[in-house]
Each structure stands twice: as C-alpha cells, then as structure tokens.
Amino acid sequence: MPLIAITGGIGAGKSTVLEYFKALGAEVLDADQIVHSLYEPGQPAYQEMLSRWGDKILDAGRAIDRKAVAAKVFAAAHELSWLNGLLHPLVKQAISAAGARTNNLLYCAIPLLYEVGWDAGFAAVIAVWCDRNTQLLRLRSRHWSEVEINQRLSQQLSMNEKLSRSDYGLINTCSLAMLNQQCTHLHRHLQSMFALPQTD
C-alpha cells in the first residue's frame, strides 16, 4: 500500500498531524519512536552504542540517556555520522516491514527525510510547516537551551525548503481544529487518489 512521508522542521507539529491521521483510520509510524525502541537494552543498536561510548550514555536504570547521546553527536560530526549509519538502515527496515503488513495508507513521520535522501521511496510527501518564531517558541517550551536549539536546527533544512520540495503542505500556525481540518481534507484526497475505501 502507498507509503506517505510526513516531514517538517523540529517543532513543526509532525506528531500532532500523525495523531490526526491515526484518528481518521490510517496506519501511522514515527521514525523517532522507532529510534527510541532501538535504544532499548537487548537491541543491537544499544550494544553498539555502549561499546562505542561506554556507560556515560546510560542513566541510573542502564537505559540509554538520549540527552547524553545528543550531546555527543551534536558536538562531533563524525559521531553523528556513525550513529546515523547505525540507525538509518534499521529504521528503513522497520518502515518497509510495516508497509508490507498493511492494506491501508501508511503515514510515516520522518523529520530528516530530505536530509538523508529517503523521499524517493514514498508515494507522496507531506510537509508540516510553521513560521520561525512559532518554531522557536515551541522549542524553548521544551526547556532546551539556545545552544541545543541551534545544534538541532543546523542539521535540518529550513521549513520553507522542506515545504517547497513536498507534494503537500499542512500549515500549523492556526488552531488545532483548523490543522485537523486540513488533515481530514488531505486524507480524503489521498484515499481517492489511491482508490482506497474511505475510513473516516
């Protein structure tokens, strides 16, 4: 069945959009959540990260401390490259497996879709967009420092660039009700385009 990518800058509202599509009866997948599952003890990625960085990346319960990992990879480009090389094939494998299991539209939230060159593997791409000031307000509400915010933004294309490259755009500077309405209209359009039965 068609795989639909959802992308956008950090803080754009991709997770909210994913929840709206799920409520409409679609299958959904979040690349960030896949990564989080790969961090769990017993997973191959967990062991690889522990071998490379040692106990300093573990919390008191010996789970991967994502903030400690972020501090390492955003401070050294070669460490980020190594981590991406470890995780990206596993994430792609999980997405492909999920697509093979469903007969429905599958929406996949992938923040760095264009940055890693995965867009060609999807039937359509949706960009979630908000303006820069709104984005910064949302990121600061997560209690991130300006350094942390700038480190993450430096690894991403701009919101405008992502929107210009995508097949569809969802504008998330309005009310949640209006965002939900946009998702509903787009979902119905995609169901019609791919000749799928209405699920909402």
Side-chain angles (χ1 to χ4, degrees), residues 72-115:
K72 280 190 171 293
V73 300
F74 287 120
H78 69 280
E79 296 290 7
L80 179 59
S81 178
W82 176 85
L83 183 62
N84 287 341
L86 172 67
L87 298 178
H88 287 177
L90 298 173
V91 173
K92 288 187 77 172
Q93 183 180 7
I95 292 171
S96 296
R101 290 193 300 266
T102 184
N103 293 318
N104 198 357
L105 284 175
L106 174 60
Y107 293 95
C108 306
I110 306 174
L112 299 179
L113 178 79
Y114 291 116
E115 290 85 345

Side-chain angles (χ1 to χ4, degrees), residues 76-155:
H78 69 280
E79 296 290 7
L80 179 59
S81 178
W82 176 85
L83 183 62
N84 287 341
L86 172 67
L87 298 178
H88 287 177
L90 298 173
V91 173
K92 288 187 77 172
Q93 183 180 7
I95 292 171
S96 296
R101 290 193 300 266
T102 184
N103 293 318
N104 198 357
L105 284 175
L106 174 60
Y107 293 95
C108 306
I110 306 174
L112 299 179
L113 178 79
Y114 291 116
E115 290 85 345
V116 298
W118 288 4
D119 50 300
F122 291 85
V125 178
I126 302 166
V128 186
W129 182 93
C130 69
D131 61 81
R132 178 77 169 191
N133 287 338
T134 300
Q135 181 184 31
L136 291 175
L137 285 172
R138 290 172 180 168
L139 297 182
R140 288 167 183 151
S141 73
R142 300 179 184 184
H143 306 293
W144 289 356
S145 69
E146 294 301 310
V147 170
E148 290 173 315
I149 290 171
N150 289 330
Q151 284 176 334
R152 285 162 173 79
L153 292 179
S154 70
Q155 302 297 321

